[in-house]
Amino acid sequence: MKRRIPLVTENSQTYTFTRRALVLGGMQGGIAALIAGRMAWLSVAENERYKLLAESNRFQLMIVPPRRGWIVDREGQPIAINRSDYRVDLIPDQLEDPDRIIAQLTKLLALPAEEVQRIRTELEGAAGYQPVPVAENLSFDKYAAVTLRLPELPGVSPLRGFSRYYPDGAAVGQLVGYVGIANKEEYEESGKNRLLITPGFKIGKDGLEKTMEHQMRGTPGAKRLEVTARGKLVRELSTVPDKPGKTLPLAIDAGLQTYAARRLGDESGAVIVLDCQNGDILCMASMPSFDPNSFSDGISHNEWNMLSQDERRPLVNKALSSLYPPGSTVKPMAAMALLSAGIDPEERVYCGGGYQLGNRFFRCLGRHGPMTMHTAIARSCNTYFYAMGNRIGYDAIAVMARRLGLGEEYPLPVVSQSYGTVPDSAWKMRKYKQDWTRSDTLNAVIGQGYLLVNPLQLAVMAARIASGRNLQPTLIRGRERPAPPLDMPPEHFEAVRHGMWEVVNGAGTAGRSRLPLDGIQMGGKTGTAQVRRIAAGQRGQGGDWKYRDHGLFVCFAPTDNPRYAASVVIEHGMGGSRAAAPVAKDVLTYLFDKPKAMEALTALEEGWGGNITERMKRDERRWLAAQAAKKADSPSATESAAGGSTA
Amino acid sequence: MGNSLVPAPIAVLPWKVLFIIMAIGLFGGMTLYSAAGGSLGPWALNHFIRFTGLLGMAVALSYFRPRQFRDWAYPAYGAVMILLLVVEAIGVVGGGAQSWLNLGLIQLQPSELMKPIIVLVLAGFYAGLPTGEIRKWSAIWPPAVLTLIPTVLILMQPDLGTALLLIFSALTVMFLAGLPLRLFVGGGLAVAAMIPIVYAFFMMPHQQKRVLIFLNPEEDPLGAGYHITQSKIAIGSGGLFGKGYLNGTQSHLHYLPEQHTDFIFPAMVEEWGLMGGLFLILCFVLLFRWGMAVALETKDRFERLTAAGLTMTIFFYFAVNLLMVMGLAPVVGIPLPLFSYGGSAMLTVMLCLGILMSIDRNNRRERRRL
């Protein structure tokens, strides 16, 4: 079967040409119409969209980060300020030949290899105008070296910004927290607020910096710039200045805060001082702590590891978040409860070394003989409180504990506070489905057992007893008027305070911690909290640090007209009179006579080997050396293990 | 030749088409002036000088008889082939892509010259082919070889855009010559099947990327998709009447890439709006209509194929460039004829126009003779 070839003639070819040329002509018209239609679509239907895009091309809104509000103490002395900070960033969009530029910056700024690696990695993930930080906290010389060569460094953006500085360092670490670069979650939570990814901008990460962020952040300014595609500035169109954040005035006395932190020395613990008029927190020190300055610069891996692995927990604010059995420091509170229950303070209880309850004998610290309420407080006699507490029952005492501030969560701008436990029968039923027993009462009345408090609550308790006022602790300066009196007879307070006077100034447990001042006396109450059950012969007074008893002390001064109240907790300090009361003595002395207090501190610090910064540096060196030793050890260990298995 | 009538030499010029050409060229020059930020340098003045000179050349060409172009076709083909080989050799020595020949005064792109020449060569071939042979194998392989050799050389430069245009021009002539329709349908299907192979073996990585980005521009808004995006922004933001002459922000702030060559159309539309764009498209449509009319008027087979083929060659520049800047075709480097800055493409288009005018002049001569 052969295919029939159509006859091709000159005429048929002409016809074919004409027909095909017309087809091509039609195609030309069709494509021209398609192009015209497409153009009309772009410039009419989508005009608005593209107009906006052209504008957003042309204008670059540059955010000017606001300066962060200062944190100052009650006298206006700065606790957190902003210092000039020179920094250099890379703008990925404008970067040409990143290899050459990174190499040049490495030379100019003497960047370490790991930083160069980080910059490369971040640059790969970055897009658009989101800058990649190269270096912060540059010296002016290095900054100037980059600025000078700017014409040959497209995409490099040197900036003069501000960085947070805390003059008191670790002494205020737990209190103010720290600032840092917003992470991805924070950026997304903020609704992708561009301010948060502006280079050099930092947000509060912990402490007051975090909780008072809204007040201290301020409002960013903006610059509207007309720029070319390569990021070259054509002109500045308008500028909205930034509004710096508000200054945050604290009730804290910065000098006292630093003094207390220093006075804690190498101990792990907390010191809280309250103003008995209005509840101002004058000092809330928790040591050991971290230096917030090293956080705002971006903390190193090593530094972080050292802090988080320290058994003295420098990352925990012990003033608010650590809970302790208060020990005997709650006896004045218990005494208030006894008075409220109608117990005659002069009624005597004979202390023969303990108290028999059924078949169990509850020990006292000694054989005190006949005790009144006054002497029982002064000498911290357990037997008296066992007997009297047993008489009125713990439910009556728990009410007083709460009225004096224990178990309470205070409305403070803090990241977290643990408010512990004030137990009673209803609580025990709820929690353990068990009835409250008399032995529970006996344990709780001397501040052991289920009762758990934080140091701030202890300070509030002391302040309420000292002032007879319903004080609320305040961190932010503002409330000036005195707190309203508590609805309790003033003579009850008088009686208890007198007992507390005796503790320090009479034949009491803290006789060695009298204030070294003329005419100013301190009242207080020591406490020793068991960390583990009393083992035969060993009462938590020795052995491993972490099994030793906590030492606590609550106090107020002056005794004739209380002005300040304080609580001191020394973790594993073995006893209130031994560890906590001397600290309280010096801290209160500072409030009345600074030179005298400083003299005492200087002597102590000489013995400890320097102030906080010096000791922290020393600890860090020691830690790094230990790490290095560990690293050096481990390969040889695996080597010998491998050798052993082949042998 | 109608010597007896002796019309004034000016009067015999094809004024209608010259006006269209001048409108496009002058508009292009104005746009180049704006693209340089309101300055004659570096493009506008060069463009005007070049345009005037080459237009003069085209008019001069129109005085030659069409017959002579047929005679020159093969020697010219040979000469340009040599130039292509030289360019290739220099490229090898230079260690990279090279499609330019530096002749001191001008930079010549030999691949450009091949476009009108391939049309002339193929038109000449089919004009000489006996009528009955058109459906035979011998009507296909010689043109195919004549086209493929320079195409491969151009692809090796590499210059995908020019190579594609060359093939389009050659196919147009074959189509018009009357090769069986099924060859084109079948060929079209075969090309569709070949695309993945061409993509994998003949494209440079940057070209492959451009094709991918064309298919999905959002994938890389700041990289290779940037060109298309910015071009659409320029066109779309112009609106009906544009932002006004010398007021285009996309071009002046350099958001538009290659705003003096491949992306000159968006730069113009940004300032003149839809109206400016439609005016330019209208000019081109009139130019193509004139070209096709010249082809349909003439009776000579070579002239017919040449006229239609050259018109289509100019049309392909126009279509590929505009489809590209509007995001309807991948970004391949094709300028907008007479409008973009660039000597070689203008030389090519003016050659085409000169030959077309020569055929047109011959047509009118024939008409007068009848």
Side-chain angles (χ1 to χ4, degrees), chain B residues 11 23 54 82 87 89-90 152 172 241 271 284 312 326 338-339 344:
Chain B
L54 289 173
I82 291 168
V87 162
I90 293 171
V152 168
T172 307
F241 299 104
E271 295 184 352
F284 275 105
M312 285 303 287
M326 289 180 198
L338 304 177
F339 203 76
S344 291

Side-chain angles (χ1 to χ4, degrees), chain A residues 3 5-6 8-10 13-14 16-18 20-25 27-28 31-32 34-36 38-40 42-44 47 50-51 53-54 57-58 93 127-128 226-229 234, chain B residues 131 134-135 172 175-176 178-179 181 222 226 230 232-233 235-237 239 243 249-250 253-255 265 269 274 277-278 281 285 288 292 295-296 301 304 311-312 315 319 322-323 326 328:
Chain A
R3 204 172 172 281
I5 296 166
V8 181
T9 64
E10 196 76 40
Q13 261 192 1
T14 305
T16 305
F17 172 81
T18 309
R20 290 190 178 183
L22 286 175
V23 166
L24 289 184
M27 189 191 79
Q28 289 174 348
I31 289 180
L34 170 73
I35 288 167
R38 168 74 169 174
M39 189 172 63
L42 290 178
S43 54
V44 178
N47 176 240
Y50 284 118
K51 245 188 194 156
L53 285 171
N57 257 348
R58 181 180 158 203
D93 256 14
E226 187 175 11
V227 291
T228 69
V234 179
Chain B
T131 341
I134 193 68
R135 287 181 176 272
T172 307
F175 176 72
L176 289 168
L179 288 182
L181 207 54
L222 292 168
Y226 181 83
Q230 294 303 333
K232 278 156 73 178
I233 291 175
I235 295 171
S237 65
K243 297 174 186 169
T249 57
Q250 284 288 102
L253 299 176
H254 310 289
Y255 289 99
F265 183 77
V269 173
L274 181 63
L278 288 179
I281 291 173
V285 167
F288 303 140
M292 295 310 275
L296 288 169
R301 191 161 159 73
R304 224 155 52 181
T311 307
M312 285 303 287
F315 172 76
L322 291 197
L323 289 172
M326 289 180 198
L328 295 174

Side-chain angles (χ1 to χ4, degrees), chain A residues 334-377:
Chain A
M336 287 297 295
L338 297 178
L339 291 169
S340 288
I343 302 275
D344 178 1
E346 294 305 321
E347 187 182 337
R348 281 162 200 267
V349 171
Y350 183 80
C351 171
Y355 182 78
Q356 187 73 37
L357 181 76
N359 58 0
R360 225 179 122 188
F361 188 68
F362 284 80
R363 283 185 179 283
C364 187
L365 296 162
R367 294 164 174 273
H368 296 107
M371 288 276 120
T372 62
M373 182 180 284
H374 181 87
T375 53
I377 293 173

Side-chain angles (χ1 to χ4, degrees), chain B residues 47-69:
Chain B
H47 178 85
F48 282 129
I49 293 169
R50 214 178 261 157
F51 180 80
T52 313
L54 289 173
L55 186 61
M57 178 206 75
V59 172
L61 276 180
S62 75
Y63 286 93
F64 287 98
R65 294 286 183 124
R67 170 80 216 173
Q68 290 192 281
F69 298 117

Side-chain angles (χ1 to χ4, degrees), chain A residues 591-631:
Chain A
L591 282 165
F592 299 105
D593 188 342
K594 286 182 188 145
K596 195 164 264 177
M598 289 311 295
E599 204 177 295
L601 178 64
T602 313
L604 284 168
E605 280 189 338
E606 260 166 41
W608 294 328
N611 61 25
I612 299 174
T613 321
E614 289 159 1
R615 296 199 314 274
M616 277 174 78
K617 281 221 176 88
R618 180 196 66 198
D619 289 348
E620 190 179 342
R621 276 198 301 276
R622 200 175 287 165
W623 191 83
L624 284 174
Q627 287 304 104
K630 225 189 265 172
K631 230 178 217 167

Side-chain angles (χ1 to χ4, degrees), chain A residues 413-430:
Chain A
V414 294
V415 176
S416 75
Q417 52 178 322
S418 309
Y419 35 100
T421 309
V422 172
D424 60 16
S425 53
W427 171 85
K428 195 182 178 194
M429 187 49 78
R430 207 165 54 235

